[in-house]
Amino acid sequence: MSYPPNHGHGPSSPHQQPGSPGDPRNHGHQPYMAPIPPLNAPGWSAAPQAGAADSSERNTAMLIHLSIIPFGFIGPLIGYLISDHKPYLRAQSAEALNMAITLLIAAVVVAILCLVLIGFLLVPVLGLWGLVMPIIGGVNASQAKPYRYPLVLRFVS
């Protein structure tokens, strides 16, 4: 089998890959591949970036979100008051506090609606929302993902 002349514009055989060491386009040089630096090289770090939440802040934010379930707005309020100089913790405790306040207002409204017998249908919905949403917020906070609760009134920022 005969191939047309190459003239330096492609691999010298049909089975040769472009860029391989025998490819005439390399002009005798190996293709350049940037070296991969080791993870312990200067400038490379697996540590969180500056301004990111450390593990103690993430764990505290997770506990603040989860404290809504047993303590209502008291846990997020304490977290909000002690998080002055930590922006991530302050934002997450404010979000948890907004959730707890909204949950309290919704519980009062549902209690009033129970007098008219409509509220009994909303009690399981409110209970499920008050249980599931803080867990989702806690999981996101533990992964340092900023989380905003849906359907929440924003009183505190």
Side-chain angles (χ1 to χ4, degrees):
M1 179 179 219
S2 165
Y3 293 101
N6 190 344
H7 301 296
H9 294 294
S12 56
S13 76
H15 303 292
Q16 187 174 356
Q17 295 295 320
S20 64
D23 188 359
R25 292 177 290 181
N26 290 339
H27 304 289
H29 300 289
Q30 292 289 332
Y32 176 74
M33 293 182 62
I36 300 172
L39 289 177
N40 60 357
W44 289 78
S45 173
Q49 299 296 323
D54 63 354
S55 65
S56 66
E57 280 186 66
R58 292 192 316 260
N59 290 337
T60 305
M62 178 189 65
L63 290 174
I64 289 170
H65 282 282
L66 294 177
S67 71
I68 295 172
I69 297 168
F71 304 119
F73 71 92
I74 300 297
L77 179 62
I78 292 171
Y80 185 77
L81 294 175
I82 65 169
S83 62
D84 286 339
H85 303 292
K86 298 178 180 178
Y88 176 75
L89 193 56
R90 181 76 170 201
Q92 290 302 301
S93 59
E95 192 62 30
L97 186 57
N98 284 329
M99 170 63 179
I101 292 170
T102 303
L103 194 58
L104 180 65
I105 292 170
V108 169
V109 169
V110 167
I112 292 170
L113 289 175
C114 281
L115 297 174
V116 196
L117 301 178
I118 297 173
F120 291 111
L121 299 173
L122 297 175
V123 169
V125 173
L126 184 62
L128 191 62
W129 184 58
L131 179 67
V132 171
M133 296 312 291
I135 292 172
I136 293 172
V139 168
N140 281 307
S142 71
Q143 297 171 353
K145 295 178 184 174
Y147 183 70
R148 291 186 59 96
Y149 289 102
L151 305 173
V152 168
L153 303 171
R154 311 273 179 229
F155 295 108
V156 182
S157 60

